Amino acid sequence: MDFLKDLDPAQVEAVKQTDGLVLILAGAGSGKTRVLTYKIAYLISKNVKPENILAVTFTNKAANEMRERVRKLIVNSKWSIEKESSPHSRFTIHNFPFVGTFHAFCAKLLRIDGKFLGIPSGYLIYDDDDSLSLIKRIMKDANISVKNFRLSSILSAISSAKSELVTPVDYKQFARGPFAETVSQVYEIYQKELKETNACDFDDLLMQTVKLLEIYPSVLEKYSSRFKYVLVDEYQDVNTAQYVLTKQLASSWGNLTVVGDASQAIYSFRGADFRNILNFERDFPNARVFNLEQNYRSTGNILSVANAIITHNSSHPILKLWTSNPLGEKVSIYNAANEIDEANFIVDRIISSKRPYGSFAVLYRTNAQSRTVEEALLHANIPYRLYGGVRFYERKEIKDMLAYLKLIASPKDKISKNRAEKLGKRRFDAFGNLVSKLALRKKLPKPIDLIEKVLEACDYLTLIDDGTEQGLQRVENVKELKSVASDFENLSTFLENVALMEGMIAPDKSYEEKNETDCITLMTIHAAKGLEFDYIFVIGMEEGLFPHSRSMLDASQLEEERRLAYVAVTRAKQKIYLTYATNRLYFGTTSANLVSRFIVDIPEELISPI
């Protein structure tokens, strides 16, 4: 086919292997989405009916991109034009392969055949807020204290159970300890309530679909026979439910193509299990395996840095990335005096480069690290946007803490009072008792000490720390506010500084609303997966920060941190900067950490002096 000329030999071979079980190990920047889309187009060019093709991925963004690429390939190809000119053409814009997320596919399937499980076609889909409200009512009715067990923690545990296809009955058998026993009790009632309400939560979409296909062979036959070809993107990120569902759908024809890279498996906190991609060859010993190792994104030196970092992992196969691109610049490593020096270095490099702002991205391990960079960019009048996140002073937990502090400074502040009251009567009463004690003093404590007292009195961290990755990030954001407060001796000057920072942010909002692209991008490394930029700064490369302190005593978590570093480096097309600080004010405390092991892993010949 003429359109295959756009692919390299390895990609062509992977595309043409349509039948049977196929594992495509695709390294960063090797064109995995291109291979999937071309394979779909190739199947249609070989007279496979579009409705017999199923392609699933994880995000709406990825699904939309894949769908659009397939559409363009089909419409622009000579063979598709010839087909469409025929009155008997089987391909129309309405007769299109299913390309979407796992959840979208399951939601549609349950609308059609959920009736076999008692799920009506008009069933409701609960979002997290709906689920939390239901769990809150269940706990109240069962007289279970919300103080002892957070709603979000219980919902997270139920979600994890469903991802592993663990039913309430299964969970009850293995529940040990007060928390697990409480989850078991709530889980059982929660599922009964969902059924009575004709509702499914997000995890039910997968779990109930797997159950339906397992219990009713006729329904399994209906879908597995329809989808002659099943393709799965980002296979290293599938959880147990998605893994089982994939095997079910491919059971009739056995034509299953999965694409992934174990070196980019960074979402274990969401239930993803990269061992599924490792077990593919074990589960399907006759599978054909294709390695896509040619990188089209980065320079040779960037790939050498990435390879030097990831080769220290031993629990999964490592692809040796290579490129025909130029060697390019070596990696620059900057040893900053502190976090402010680090942020100023970024600003200086961006300004002196005289390149478009949109060429740059700043990546960090935790959300709280964005603050100093945000402030440096604001002072330099450089536009920026946070991808997949919220600016530091606009984050809910920061606004909550500032509301408490503003009420201490000005008890008549109705807006702050209203916000603080919404955090719970018990917390507000405890806060009132704290303020009464503080009123007896001639002088208020320093802002950093006030934050600590508010946190303790209101038990605020318990409210936001639900044990999930997002909860931990919220806690870290609050602790980072202490870093801001540490520079001030009294509350009024601290709040004045915050107000000025918020004022500097406000005019820049119009920039984001216009959707301008010429601005610096700030994001966590997790959010950067799948993206690319000409120039990348990865900040905070210190032991305890990156790799994160939570991973230091767990070999598997350390390997995931290393994969995260690999993902960060391979986002860069032209140049990578890695920075670390001799001393860092973090969470209100100044510490001196060792340079990250990921920097130590880089050979000297790949490093250029600053």
Side-chain angles (χ1 to χ4, degrees):
M1 293 296 164
D2 287 342
F3 68 97
L4 293 184
K5 70 181 185 300
D6 299 331
L7 304 179
D8 66 40
Q11 292 173 333
V12 169
E13 194 179 0
V15 165
K16 285 188 171 182
Q17 184 61 49
T18 56
D19 290 358
L21 300 155
V22 179
L23 169 62
I24 302 174
L25 296 174
S30 65
K32 69 174 179 60
T33 304
R34 167 175 287 222
V35 168
L36 269 182
T37 54
Y38 272 72
K39 179 165 256 192
I40 295 170
Y42 181 75
L43 286 167
I44 295 173
S45 77
K46 303 297 284 185
N47 295 320
V48 175
K49 293 180 181 180
E51 62 266 29
N52 294 147
I53 302 170
L54 171 67
V56 287
T57 187
F58 283 83
T59 66
N60 288 322
K61 180 177 180 293
N64 291 336
E65 180 186 354
M66 194 186 305
R67 193 180 299 113
E68 181 60 19
R69 286 195 190 186
V70 171
R71 188 193 67 78
K72 286 181 178 178
L73 272 176
I74 294 172
V75 171
N76 295 335
S77 297
K78 181 180 178 181
W79 50 265
S80 71
I81 294 173
E82 291 173 350
K83 280 190 173 185
E84 293 212 48
S85 65
S86 167
H88 304 294
S89 168
R90 287 182 296 190
F91 174 76
T92 67
I93 224 61
H94 302 291
N95 189 18
F96 198 76
F98 183 93
V99 180
T101 65
F102 278 99
H103 291 88
F105 171 77
C106 291
K108 190 173 183 179
L109 188 152
L110 289 175
R111 297 278 183 210
I112 300 169
D113 287 312
K115 58 182 179 288
F116 289 98
L117 295 179
I119 301 173
S121 60
Y123 73 91
L124 303 173
I125 299 177
Y126 272 23
D127 61 19
D128 281 353
D129 287 340
D130 297 326
S131 295
L132 286 170
S133 296
L134 176 55
I135 289 174
K136 184 177 182 179
R137 180 168 62 77
I138 291 170
M139 292 178 71
K140 183 179 180 181
D141 292 345
N143 200 27
I144 302 171
S145 174
V146 178
K147 180 180 178 181
N148 295 333
F149 304 109
R150 293 184 295 276
L151 301 176
S152 51
S153 297
I154 290 176
L155 178 59
S156 179
I158 292 173
S159 175
S160 296
K162 291 184 178 183
S163 295
E164 294 295 320
L165 299 177
V166 176
T167 67
V169 174
D170 298 330
Y171 199 99
K172 191 173 186 178
Q173 292 177 355
F174 301 102
R176 299 292 183 274
F179 177 73
E181 289 169 358
T182 299
V183 171
S184 178
Q185 182 183 356
V186 173
Y187 186 10
E188 184 177 11
I189 302 171
Y190 176 74
Q191 285 304 105
K192 288 179 181 177
E193 291 274 358
L194 286 176
K195 189 171 183 63
E196 289 177 6
T197 314
N198 291 328
C200 289
D201 65 17
F202 210 52
D203 298 295
D204 274 330
L205 298 178
L206 298 174
M207 189 177 186
Q208 297 290 0
T209 299
V210 169
K211 179 181 178 182
L212 174 64
L213 300 181
E214 186 179 289
I215 295 177
Y216 294 94
S218 61
V219 180
L220 174 62
E221 171 65 19
K222 174 182 177 180
Y223 289 98
S224 64
S225 61
R226 172 186 170 181
F227 295 114
K228 188 173 182 180
Y229 294 93
V230 179
L231 303 92
V232 184
D233 193 14
E234 303 287 7
Y235 197 69
Q236 76 280 348
D237 292 334
V238 297
N239 60 31
T240 298
Q242 291 158 338
Y243 177 72
V244 172
L245 175 63
T246 298
K247 292 178 70 173
Q248 289 175 321
L249 293 171
S251 60
S252 286
W253 295 96
N255 298 324
L256 172 63
T257 295
V258 302
V259 184
D261 180 10
S263 294
Q264 297 185 74
I266 59 174
Y267 297 121
S268 64
F269 63 90
R270 295 181 186 169
D273 187 349
F274 76 94
R275 288 173 297 184
N276 287 322
I277 198 169
L278 303 183
N279 294 336
F280 192 85
E281 290 180 82
R282 184 202 68 188
D283 293 347
F284 307 112
N286 297 322
R288 290 287 306 276
V289 181
F290 298 89
N291 289 351
L292 302 184
E293 297 177 305
Q294 182 174 0
N295 177 285
Y296 293 91
R297 174 187 300 152
S298 307
T299 63
N301 280 325
I302 288 173
L303 295 186
S304 294
V305 170
N307 287 330
I309 292 173
I310 198 61
T311 50
H312 289 270
N313 273 8
S314 59
S315 65
H316 55 85
I318 306 295
L319 295 173
K320 181 73 173 178
L321 295 183
W322 64 277
T323 185
S324 59
N325 294 336
L327 273 179
E329 294 186 61
K330 295 181 179 180
V331 63
S332 291
I333 299 174
Y334 183 64
N335 180 193
N338 52 43
E339 73 285 350
I340 296 174
D341 182 30
E342 180 181 60
N344 288 336
F345 167 76
I346 294 169
V347 170
D348 291 342
R349 285 285 153 153
I350 290 172
I351 292 174
S352 62
S353 75
K354 297 183 179 178
R355 294 187 175 96
Y357 294 139
S359 303
F360 296 90
V362 181
L363 309 184
Y364 34 82
R365 176 63 181 84
T366 65
N367 260 312
Q369 291 173 256
S370 75
R371 180 188 65 84
T372 50
V373 180
E374 286 188 64
E375 292 185 359
L377 292 172
L378 286 168
H379 284 299
N381 199 30
I382 295 176
Y384 72 93
R385 65 161 53 92
L386 271 88
Y387 183 93
V390 179
R391 294 169 184 260
F392 183 79
Y393 290 104
E394 295 178 341
R395 293 168 190 167
K396 180 184 181 301
E397 57 273 15
I398 299 301
K399 285 185 168 292
D400 287 347
M401 287 306 303
L402 290 174
Y404 282 130
L405 297 174
K406 287 176 182 178
L407 267 180
I408 293 174
S410 179
K412 294 183 179 180
D413 183 348
K414 292 182 180 179
I415 294 176
S416 295
K417 182 180 179 182
N418 184 53
R419 187 179 190 99
E421 285 179 331
K422 288 181 178 179
L423 297 176
K425 185 178 185 305
R426 180 179 60 82
R427 284 187 174 81
F428 191 74
D429 289 344
F431 174 73
N433 293 332
L434 172 65
V435 173
S436 298
K437 294 176 183 177
L438 293 173
L440 299 175
R441 302 187 182 188
K442 291 183 179 180
K443 185 179 179 181
L444 286 174
K446 292 180 180 180
I448 189 171
D449 296 324
L450 274 176
I451 291 174
E452 195 58 52
K453 289 181 181 298
V454 170
L455 290 174
E456 184 179 350
C458 300
D459 197 23
Y460 182 75
L461 295 184
T462 300
L463 175 67
I464 61 174
D465 183 9
D466 56 8
T468 65
E469 181 73 14
Q470 291 77 12
L472 292 169
Q473 287 181 5
R474 288 190 288 266
V475 170
E476 289 176 343
N477 286 331
V478 170
K479 290 180 178 179
E480 182 59 13
L481 187 64
K482 292 163 67 176
S483 296
V484 184
S486 66
D487 285 338
F488 300 91
E489 291 295 317
N490 62 73
L491 182 59
S492 60
T493 54
F494 166 68
L495 292 175
E496 179 183 320
N497 174 76
V498 170
L500 290 172
M501 293 304 304
E502 290 175 325
M504 293 174 73
I505 291 171
D508 198 46
K509 279 187 179 179
S510 60
Y511 197 89
E512 289 190 340
E513 288 167 1
K514 292 176 184 176
N515 198 30
E516 295 285 352
T517 57
D518 193 25
C519 60
I520 312 298
T521 300
L522 274 61
M523 69 180 92
T524 64
I525 302 169
H526 282 101
K529 174 88 162 28
L531 302 178
E532 59 183 37
F533 297 88
D534 287 338
Y535 305 93
I536 293 284
F537 294 88
V538 186
I539 67 173
M541 299 288 288
E542 299 142 35
E543 292 287 294
L545 191 51
F546 191 25
H548 199 284
S549 57
R550 296 195 304 271
S551 69
M552 303 300 273
L553 299 178
D554 187 308
S556 63
Q557 289 186 26
L558 268 176
E559 287 216 347
E560 180 151 335
E561 292 289 299
R562 188 175 292 280
R563 293 194 292 270
L564 201 55
Y566 173 81
V567 167
V569 170
T570 53
R571 299 310 94 198
K573 296 163 69 175
Q574 299 294 331
K575 173 76 175 180
I576 185 82
Y577 295 89
L578 307 177
T579 68
Y580 66 100
T582 301
N583 294 290
R584 183 178 298 275
L585 176 62
Y586 198 56
F587 300 164
T589 302
T590 299
S591 59
N593 296 324
L594 295 173
V595 62
S596 171
R597 66 191 67 193
F598 306 142
I599 285 182
V600 176
D601 290 338
I602 302 172
E604 287 289 334
E605 61 267 23
L606 296 177
I607 302 171
S608 65
I610 294 294

